[in-house]
Amino acid sequence: MPEWLKNAIFYEIYPQSFCDSNGDGIGDFNGIISKLDYINSIGCNAIWLNPCFESPFLDAGYDVSDYKKAAPRYGTNEELIKLFDEAHKRDMHILLDLVPGHTSTKHEWFKHSCKADKNEFSDRYIWSNSVWEDTLELDCIRGFCERDGSCAVNFFSHQPALNYGYAVCTKPWQQSPTDPAPMATREAIKDVMRFWLSKGCDGFRVDMAGSLVKNDVDGAETIKLWQDFRRFLDDEFPNAALISEWGEPDKSLAGGFHMDFLLHFGPSHYNDLFRCDEPYFSRRGKGSAKDFVQAYTDNCLKTSNKGLICIPSGNHDMDRLSRRLDYDEMKLAFAFLMSMPGAPFIYYGDEIGMRYIEGLSSKEGGYGRTGSRTPMQWNSERNAGFSDAKEDLLYLPIDPDIDRPTVEHSLRDENSLLNEVKRLIKLRKAHLALGNFGQIEFISGEYPIIYKRSFDNEEILVIINPADKIFEIPLKSYKDVLYFVGAKPRLFDCSIEIQPVSALFIKLQ
Ligand code: NOJ
């Protein structure tokens, strides 16, 4: 485990929408560099940058056409390297987004793979033997090139699936993960990782990491594949960090990932907390965190604290927190996010309560995700300080609400969400019990949610009450009230009265 992950707090940047330094209406590397001090001032010391490589941008850059070239709209490779250097000067780290499961149809590998003549790239992707034969459980594209065959796709139909083989082969065109072509795909991706790591990048967030080997029901072959990547990194780049979009930490961590995301799909019950009709963190108090707590606890047991399970505030694929939660409720959501184990991830703009913008037309394959990808709101200047461009050139429109939150305004207001997030991060950094590796023991998953965090001899009780009612919690002894947000709790001899829509951290020892 790289040392720097021990206290890493991440900030996710969707580069299109963060900060435009050259007035073309789209964010760029120099814009990000100009905001590193802001990110640092929140307390975040690491960044996950969404894909920033050359791409036709039919899926916001998750359709790479050249893994080794920065997308010109964001800047040059040299400017990206400068971003790494500027981050390092501030003791910050940068993860790039690695998309190993598919490329764009515009990638040179794919163009070669489409040729009728056999060549080095013929089996770089998954192809059936005939255009009349589909690729079974995977969707496919066919009838568009001279090669006879159907090509499997991994996500959208313009994202052909790279070939890492099949755990169980049922067709002659399916290859085993250790056949030469799937092995060559692995080496090609290692080569991409080596390219950026040797230029100063600090690791990768890995897109769809759990689905590389096909027909792999229990994940065993995909785990083996990642163990191979792990050996490569241990040998050549031991300080590089890896986080997976997998959502099954028992598998991803066994594969050698340091961290796995808790995802908004799959069995995590993450959505129960923030993104359903009755989210747990709503003051209506009709939600439940019980299933989440159960799933989370199971995962902790299964992984025996080997790596980090990371709970993001949101990401570019899901609704903003503010779509379901009001401003005060979001403070409680952050009290939770910043007091859970694992490295926290803040999606840009969530720290000021940016809104999900309804009714936008899809941009770059965003569809319903587009409303969570609008430009960052920095100040009250033109285009909220995101860009000098004319309004119609902006990547996406700025939140039209005249009362939209901005960084400038949030900094001035002592009670803003941003200042709350800063206080929470400061506290997390001051107490290892609240940090990435502190232990957790849940006491209640109803209202209020209660858990004990501990590290060495320190124990901190976290009580978060989103509901609009008072609760009295038995509590015999404690040392100190470390933090509260919302109305002040009332402390009695053997109990504590927690107020509606409030949170409290108590040092037990
Ligand atoms: C997951 C990414 O987060 C998402 O934005 C993308 O569309 C798909 N993977 C396909 O790469």
Side-chain angles (χ1 to χ4, degrees):
M1 172 87 55
E3 199 50 34
W4 65 270
L5 282 185
K6 295 208 168 135
N7 64 356
I9 301 181
F10 284 86
Y11 190 83
E12 180 192 344
I13 295 181
Y14 185 75
Q16 289 88 322
S17 294
F18 197 56
C19 180
D20 170 20
S21 73
N22 64 356
D24 63 358
I26 197 151
D28 47 50
F29 298 136
N30 286 330
I32 298 174
I33 292 173
S34 73
K35 297 298 183 186
L36 284 176
D37 289 333
Y38 163 71
I39 297 168
N40 208 0
S41 76
I42 308 171
C44 295
N45 49 16
I47 288 171
W48 156 29
L49 195 58
N50 285 125
C52 55
F53 314 108
E54 191 188 79
S55 163
F57 290 100
L58 296 176
D59 185 13
Y62 283 96
D63 46 335
V64 178
S65 57
D66 186 344
Y67 286 106
K68 293 185 180 176
K69 185 175 173 209
R73 68 189 200 175
Y74 302 135
T76 60
N77 280 15
E78 288 64 41
E79 283 164 336
L80 178 54
I81 293 166
K82 182 161 174 234
L83 171 58
F84 301 151
D85 294 344
E86 289 294 327
H88 296 158
K89 276 189 205 159
R90 294 162 174 83
D91 209 14
M92 296 169 81
H93 294 87
I94 307 242
L95 301 187
L96 293 177
D97 208 319
L98 182 75
V99 190
H102 49 266
T103 67
S104 153
T105 52
K106 304 280 181 251
H107 197 291
E108 284 303 314
W109 298 345
F110 190 66
K111 291 184 191 162
H112 286 293
S113 200
C114 288
K115 292 184 178 159
D117 293 339
K118 202 97 185 120
N119 62 66
E120 188 190 340
F121 302 99
S122 296
D123 291 332
R124 176 62 44 97
Y125 298 82
I126 299 172
W127 290 87
S128 71
N129 282 340
S130 150
V131 74
W132 310 119
E133 183 184 1
D134 63 26
T135 43
L136 300 179
E137 71 283 353
L138 299 168
D139 286 341
C140 62
I141 33 174
R142 47 184 164 173
F144 61 94
C145 65
E146 64 184 16
R147 174 180 182 156
D148 188 11
S150 305
C151 185
V153 298
N154 212 35
F155 193 68
F156 286 140
S157 52
H158 54 76
Q159 289 161 323
L162 284 161
N163 181 17
Y164 294 91
Y166 280 71
V168 180
C169 301
T170 56
K171 290 282 172 185
W173 45 266
Q174 295 176 336
Q175 301 180 349
S176 119
T178 50
D179 280 348
M183 288 303 275
T185 310
R186 278 189 207 192
E187 293 310 311
I189 292 297
K190 284 182 197 166
D191 183 50
V192 171
M193 294 167 96
R194 190 180 283 117
F195 180 83
W196 288 112
L197 289 170
S198 63
K199 296 197 164 13
C201 128
D202 298 296
F204 300 95
R205 174 268 187 186
V206 180
D207 190 65
M208 298 174 69
S211 62
L212 296 190
V213 178
K214 307 305 181 197
N215 234 349
D216 189 19
V217 182
D218 60 1
E221 287 298 326
T222 312
I223 292 172
K224 273 197 224 156
L225 173 115
W226 282 109
Q227 285 169 342
D228 179 36
F229 278 93
R230 172 83 275 143
R231 282 189 291 274
F232 147 67
L233 289 173
D234 284 346
D235 281 353
E236 297 185 30
F237 302 97
N239 278 322
L242 274 193
I243 177 159
S244 45
E245 186 197 32
W246 193 321
E248 293 177 277
D250 52 325
K251 295 182 181 164
S252 52
L253 301 183
F257 280 91
H258 304 112
M259 312 175 264
D260 191 16
F261 277 118
L262 214 95
L263 296 171
H264 53 298
F265 51 85
S268 72
H269 288 278
Y270 168 77
N271 282 348
D272 299 4
L273 304 182
F274 314 108
R275 294 173 177 81
C276 60
D277 288 343
E278 291 296 351
Y280 179 77
F281 282 102
S282 152
R283 70 179 74 228
R284 288 188 297 276
K286 290 189 178 151
S288 169
K290 264 180 100 178
D291 293 340
F292 164 82
V293 168
Q294 188 61 53
Y296 186 88
T297 313
D298 288 350
N299 276 326
C300 291
L301 283 175
K302 280 196 262 180
T303 55
S304 34
N305 302 311
K306 207 170 136 262
L308 300 172
I309 301 173
C310 299
I311 313 178
S313 70
N315 72 25
H316 60 290
D317 290 334
M318 48 176 130
D319 293 355
R320 290 233 179 234
L321 272 183
S322 58
R323 197 173 194 194
R324 303 279 181 168
L325 304 182
D326 69 24
Y327 205 70
D328 289 335
E329 292 165 348
M330 281 193 282
K331 289 183 181 171
L332 302 191
F334 270 101
F336 168 78
L337 292 164
M338 295 304 142
S339 62
M340 285 293 285
F345 276 71
I346 300 178
Y347 183 51
Y348 83 97
D350 278 354
E351 76 279 18
I352 56 168
M354 265 175 68
R355 295 192 314 155
Y356 175 90
I357 308 302
E358 308 280 344
L360 293 178
S361 301
S362 177
K363 178 84 177 180
E364 298 188 342
Y367 301 94
R369 307 175 291 183
T370 306
S372 299
R373 299 176 174 187
T374 58
M376 180 68 178
Q377 295 151 201
W378 294 103
N379 53 42
S380 48
E381 288 164 29
R382 190 159 167 231
N383 297 326
F386 161 67
S387 167
D388 288 339
K390 287 216 287 235
E391 222 179 294
D392 56 349
L393 279 181
L394 296 183
Y395 174 74
L396 278 170
I398 313 273
D399 178 351
D401 188 339
I402 42 162
D403 288 328
R404 63 188 172 221
T406 64
V407 171
E408 185 186 45
H409 186 261
S410 304
L411 285 174
R412 266 194 254 121
D413 175 3
E414 195 42 36
N415 292 320
S416 68
L417 179 60
L418 176 59
N419 279 322
E420 210 57 63
V421 172
K422 283 184 168 188
R423 280 191 279 276
L424 283 160
I425 294 184
K426 203 162 157 207
L427 201 65
R428 182 182 179 94
K429 286 185 172 165
H431 297 274
L432 287 175
L434 291 174
N436 297 6
F437 282 92
Q439 298 289 310
I440 186 161
E441 185 195 326
F442 282 97
I443 293 157
S444 152
E446 303 289 355
Y447 289 98
I449 190 169
I450 306 178
Y451 44 93
K452 197 158 68 180
R453 300 290 320 273
S454 54
F455 193 89
D456 285 344
N457 292 327
E458 189 179 38
E459 275 186 9
I460 296 174
L461 191 68
V462 175
I463 308 172
I464 306 179
N465 177 28
D468 213 357
K469 30 177 188 197
I470 293 177
F471 288 93
E472 192 167 337
I473 318 285
L475 182 71
K476 288 208 187 77
S477 67
Y478 63 92
K479 270 198 154 162
D480 209 0
V481 171
L482 283 181
Y483 167 86
F484 71 88
V485 58
K488 201 169 173 186
R490 292 173 64 198
L491 305 165
F492 304 116
D493 281 351
C494 289
S495 69
I496 198 156
E497 190 183 82
I498 179 153
Q499 305 305 306
V501 198
S502 72
L504 171 69
F505 298 0
I506 304 174
K507 191 167 159 77
L508 297 178
Q509 50 175 314

